[in-house]
């Protein structure tokens, strides 16, 4: 519970009203009251954060920063409302993270293969054997670029891991022609594809793996552990560390699920931020979302903090002003601290945030530093940095 900070003025009798949050259909307490200066004030508390004990009906409020206590007038019995933490959560704005039907911890679907083009055939997933099932297509540039990395990992792990590259979304409906096409393509790749390669049976692998896992792009890879359970899903470029953990028996699926949920919330939050700072609608909510991201999710992520700050400071939407620029300034200041003020791209954002908050001297100082650190060969970046510096110096 946060340290209470009582208001300095007594509070007169209040009224309470239960509202439904339009973004997330959960109960929210809105407490309206009048202070000794006869100013009308209000505070909102998520219902899920409250424990209510009602023994009477006429209430008088004493508010604290993170705690609210409600008491009736003297002739009534005491009534209390305890608020463990009145601060809103990311879920209050974007809803709960909804996991796809096929996810970490799910039993891996069966393989549905029309033909194994290269390497040994694989039937059922064997007990104790770790597998990587990776999806690709001939037309997919990033897929082709990932072949050598997958081959290196297959060589590194040897028999401990079986890599299976499954061709999907090829665009050839005739199965025979498709197999012939893939055979020719794989032969041309040579040692770049030094692992098992297969063609799916019709669209069965895409339908049973990709779609229920909400994977809408390739390349995509699934790690299947020794119990036939999906341990990880993602881009093969990021598979090295989780695969090593699975092979070593150190992989924590519960932690992976929580991390995935967190990433989903962050993604949804950024979508909401982008919409708000583009359209100007929901700016107040967007500012709170940004604060939550900075404090609870991205405090150790300079790139994420930079994204928030840049989104705010470059917004041309009506309603974006001092309060939002202060949030941006705080976010990018943390990012610069984490990188010891040596990342020119972050310094560029910091200078802009300083300028937006009215500190031209600070903006000029750090934009000049960003120019000093920026690579000379990146002429486009240099030109943009110089342009903003000239603006600050006007």
């Amino acid at each position: 519970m946060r340290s209470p900070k009582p208001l300095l003025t007594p509070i007169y009798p209040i009224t309470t009203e239960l509202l439904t949050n339009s973004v997330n259909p959960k109960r929210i307490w809105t407490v309206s009251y009048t202070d000794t200066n006869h100013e009308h004030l209000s505070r909102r508390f998520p219902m899920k954060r409250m424990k209510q004990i009602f023994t009477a009906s006429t209430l008088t409020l004493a508010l604290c920063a993170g705690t609210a206590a409600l008491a009736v007038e003297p002739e009534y019995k005491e009534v209390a409302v305890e608020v463990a933490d009145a601060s809103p959560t990311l879920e209050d704005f974007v809803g709960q993270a909804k996991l796809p039907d096929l996810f970490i911890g799910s039993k891996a679907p069966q393989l549905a293969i029309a033909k194994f083009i290269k390497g040994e055939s694989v039937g059922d997933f064997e007990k104790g054997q770790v597998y990587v099932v990776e999806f690709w297509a001939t037309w997919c540039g990033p897929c082709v670029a990932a072949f050598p990395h997958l081959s290196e990992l297959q060589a590194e792990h040897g028999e401990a891991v079986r890599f299976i590259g499954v061709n999907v979304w090829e665009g050839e409906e005739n199965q025979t022609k498709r197999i012939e096409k893939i055979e020719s393509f794989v032969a041309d790749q040579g040692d770049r594809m030094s692992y098992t390669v297969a063609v799916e049976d019709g669209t069965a692998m895409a339908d049973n793996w990709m779609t229920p896992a909400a994977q809408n792009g390739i390349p995509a890879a699934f790690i299947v552990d020794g119990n036939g359970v999906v341990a990880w899903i993602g881009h093969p470029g990021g598979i090295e560390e989780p695969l090593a953990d699975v092979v070593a028996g150190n992989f924590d699926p519960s932690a992976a699920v929580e991390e995935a949920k967190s990433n989903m919330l962050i993604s949804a939050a950024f979508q909401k931020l982008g919409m708000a700072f583009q359209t100007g609608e929901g700016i107040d909510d967007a500012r709170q979302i940004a604060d939550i991201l900075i404090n609870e999710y991205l405090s150790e992520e300079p790139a994420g903090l930079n994204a928030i700050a840049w989104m705010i400071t470059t917004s041309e939407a009506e309603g974006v002003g001092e309060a939002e620029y202060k949030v941006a300034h705080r976010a990018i200041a943390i990012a610069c601290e984490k990188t010891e003020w040596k990342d020119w791209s972050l310094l560029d954002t910091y200078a802009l945030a300083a300028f937006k908050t009215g500190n031209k001297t600070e903006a000029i100082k750090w934009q000049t530093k960003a120019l000093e650190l920026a690579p000379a060969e990146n002429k486009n970046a240099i030109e943009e940095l110089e342009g903003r510096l000239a603006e600050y110096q006007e």
Side-chain angles (χ1 to χ4, degrees):
M1 182 179 292
R2 297 182 178 182
S3 300
K5 299 178 182 177
L7 296 176
L8 298 178
T9 55
I11 304 297
Y12 286 130
I14 57 93
T15 60
T16 61
E17 179 183 8
L18 276 175
L19 301 177
T20 299
N21 189 328
S22 60
V23 176
N24 189 19
K26 300 175 183 176
R27 290 293 190 181
I28 301 290
W29 272 91
T30 296
V31 181
S32 302
Y33 56 94
T34 304
D35 67 9
T36 51
N37 296 319
H38 303 288
E39 292 186 67
H40 182 73
L41 305 171
S42 66
R43 290 191 63 181
R44 288 160 56 88
F45 301 103
M47 174 65 81
K48 71 177 185 178
R49 296 286 188 177
M50 302 182 71
K51 177 182 177 183
Q52 305 170 61
I53 309 170
F54 290 99
T55 55
S57 58
T58 305
L59 308 176
T60 302
L61 177 68
L63 280 179
C64 299
T67 304
L70 294 181
V72 298
E73 296 174 348
E75 62 267 33
Y76 295 96
K77 295 179 181 180
E78 183 178 1
V79 178
V81 174
E82 300 174 11
V83 183
D85 184 351
S87 300
T89 67
L90 208 53
E91 290 93 333
D92 292 325
F93 294 100
V94 302
Q96 296 289 334
K98 186 179 184 303
L99 299 180
D101 293 335
L102 178 61
F103 200 64
I104 297 167
S106 300
K107 191 71 175 176
Q110 290 185 328
L111 296 173
I113 304 300
K115 184 175 182 178
F116 284 91
I117 306 298
K118 186 174 184 175
E120 296 182 9
S121 299
V122 178
D124 296 329
F125 294 119
E126 297 177 7
K127 181 74 172 178
Q129 177 68 57
V130 176
Y131 297 84
V132 171
V133 182
E134 187 261 348
F135 294 87
W136 65 280
T138 61
W139 49 263
C140 170
C143 298
V144 176
F147 293 163
H149 179 57
L150 295 172
S151 296
E152 290 171 3
L153 290 175
Q154 177 65 90
E156 176 184 340
H157 290 285
E159 295 182 359
V161 182
R162 291 287 305 276
F163 281 74
I164 309 169
V166 181
N167 175 262
V168 296
W169 298 346
E170 190 57 43
E172 175 58 72
E173 295 183 5
N174 185 293
Q175 190 76 70
T176 300
K177 290 182 178 180
R178 179 180 180 183
I179 290 173
E180 291 174 352
K181 177 182 179 180
I182 302 307
E183 285 176 332
S184 175
F185 178 87
V186 172
D188 290 340
Q189 295 300 311
D191 292 339
R192 284 171 51 84
M193 299 183 82
S194 297
Y195 49 89
T196 298
V197 182
V199 177
E200 67 175 330
D201 184 5
T203 61
M205 290 296 286
D207 294 342
N208 296 334
W209 289 71
M210 296 289 284
T211 299
Q215 295 296 300
N216 301 315
I218 49 176
F222 295 69
I223 298 176
V224 179
D225 69 13
N227 295 313
V229 173
V230 175
W232 182 86
I233 304 172
H235 191 287
I239 199 173
E240 191 167 348
E241 184 176 339
L243 180 59
D245 287 341
V246 171
V247 172
N250 298 327
F251 190 74
D252 184 346
S254 297
V257 169
E258 290 307 310
E259 181 180 359
K261 287 181 178 178
S262 177
N263 289 336
M264 289 178 182
L265 284 174
I266 293 171
S267 178
F270 267 100
Q271 289 180 20
K272 208 166 190 65
L273 287 179
M275 184 62 68
F277 290 116
Q278 181 179 356
T279 65
E281 297 179 4
I283 293 296
D284 287 343
D285 280 357
R287 186 177 63 253
Q288 293 184 71
I289 291 171
D291 268 329
I292 295 170
L293 287 172
I294 295 166
N295 295 334
E296 301 179 22
Y297 291 85
L298 301 175
S299 61
E300 301 294 327
E301 302 291 339
L305 294 167
N306 183 52
I308 291 173
W310 189 256
M311 189 183 301
I312 295 173
T313 54
T314 59
S315 172
E316 298 180 355
E318 185 177 350
V320 178
E322 182 180 1
E324 290 70 41
Y325 294 144
K326 286 181 177 179
V327 171
H329 188 275
R330 184 167 68 87
I332 194 60
I334 296 171
C336 288
E337 288 286 350
K338 295 295 180 183
T339 54
E340 300 181 342
W341 301 86
K342 295 179 180 179
D343 187 318
W344 66 269
S345 63
L346 300 186
L347 296 183
D348 177 36
T349 307
Y350 181 85
L352 180 57
F355 182 73
K356 291 288 188 178
T357 52
N359 194 334
K360 290 182 64 174
T361 301
E362 190 82 350
I364 292 169
K365 171 186 174 180
W366 289 107
Q367 191 70 4
T368 302
K369 185 66 175 179
L371 267 166
E372 292 174 3
L373 296 175
E377 62 273 15
N378 193 339
K379 298 187 182 302
N380 289 337
I382 295 293
E383 184 177 345
E384 290 183 10
L385 292 172
E386 290 175 340
R388 280 190 282 277
L389 178 58
E391 180 184 354
Y392 305 155
Q393 292 173 331
E394 289 179 356

